[in-house]
Amino acid sequence: MATASTAHKWKYDVFLSFRGQDTRDNFTRHLHEALCHKKIKTFTDNNLERGEEITPALLRTIEESMISIIIFSKNHASSPWCLDEMVKILECKENFG
């Protein structure tokens, strides 16, 4: 019997959720490079346009990632974008395990 997580097709191994201005050019960059070096397919939102609302494409990317890593930082909770990502990540945890 297949579980929700094994039956699901994953596009990425890891989705990194982070507050760009806090960690993009230090911790997150180093983590992303280390994961990629180990051949772990990792998504970061480096090429996405910043806006007021999270895009449907980004929400879909969260769904297509086997796991998500939330990198908490000083200003993480002050970002509506980061909070929306967290909500979606928790929804996926409930739906896919």
Side-chain angles (χ1 to χ4, degrees):
M1 181 172 141
T3 64
S5 62
T6 58
H8 196 86
K9 296 291 183 192
W10 306 113
K11 186 172 181 180
Y12 296 97
D13 298 316
V14 176
F15 177 90
L16 294 180
S17 176
F18 59 96
R19 177 70 190 241
Q21 68 186 30
D22 290 350
T23 68
R24 179 182 314 279
D25 294 326
N26 46 58
F27 180 82
T28 300
R29 176 177 290 150
H30 294 296
L31 176 60
H32 182 256
E33 289 172 357
L35 291 168
C36 290
H37 181 72
K38 293 290 186 179
K39 306 289 189 251
I40 297 170
K41 192 169 183 183
T42 306
F43 179 87
T44 60
D45 65 0
N46 288 335
N47 299 322
L48 296 178
E49 294 250 347
R50 301 291 171 258
E52 291 299 313
E53 294 183 17
I54 194 167
T55 64
L58 187 60
L59 294 175
R60 192 169 42 259
T61 301
I62 293 170
E63 292 174 353
E64 295 170 341
S65 300
M66 187 183 319
I67 66 169
S68 295
I69 298 174
I70 300 171
I71 301 167
F72 291 103
S73 61
K74 182 179 178 182
N75 297 305
H76 190 271
S78 65
S79 165
W81 187 296
C82 290
L83 296 176
D84 287 344
E85 284 182 2
M86 255 197 306
V87 167
K88 185 63 177 180
I89 289 166
L90 291 173
E91 286 175 4
C92 289
K93 182 182 183 298
E94 286 193 18
N95 293 333
F96 304 122

